[in-house]
Amino acid sequence: MEQWEYRTLKFFTKGFFSGGTLDIKEFDKELNGLGTSGWELVSCFDTNQHQGSSKEVICVFKRRK
């Protein structure tokens, strides 16, 4: 039976009134680094802050043990 390990990564957005801006360069850098280490992105979602703006972006990864 295959076994998996999981990792969760949380990114905080900037700008309360500007709608929660994500630093895309830093986001891509982190995702690519984990991909190089064998992690596969399983899910990515945001959490609400205020009137539909994003507070955090949460990414879940998995890889074989």
Side-chain angles (χ1 to χ4, degrees):
M1 173 185 262
E2 276 188 292
Q3 292 187 347
W4 301 91
E5 60 180 322
Y6 294 89
R7 180 170 182 176
T8 303
L9 192 59
K10 186 186 296 188
F11 294 92
F12 292 95
T13 60
K14 297 176 184 168
F16 183 76
F17 293 108
S18 63
T21 304
L22 185 64
D23 182 344
I24 294 298
K25 287 183 181 180
E26 182 64 27
F27 186 70
D28 286 348
K29 180 181 172 184
E30 291 288 333
L31 293 181
N32 286 323
L34 287 168
T36 300
S37 299
W39 292 96
E40 178 184 356
L41 181 64
V42 176
S43 180
C44 193
F45 56 93
D46 68 329
T47 60
N48 275 345
Q49 172 173 272
H50 154 264
Q51 294 184 351
S53 66
S54 299
K55 179 178 181 180
E56 306 163 330
V57 176
I58 300 169
C59 299
V60 180
F61 298 84
K62 73 175 184 179
R63 74 176 173 187
R64 287 185 179 84
K65 278 190 164 187

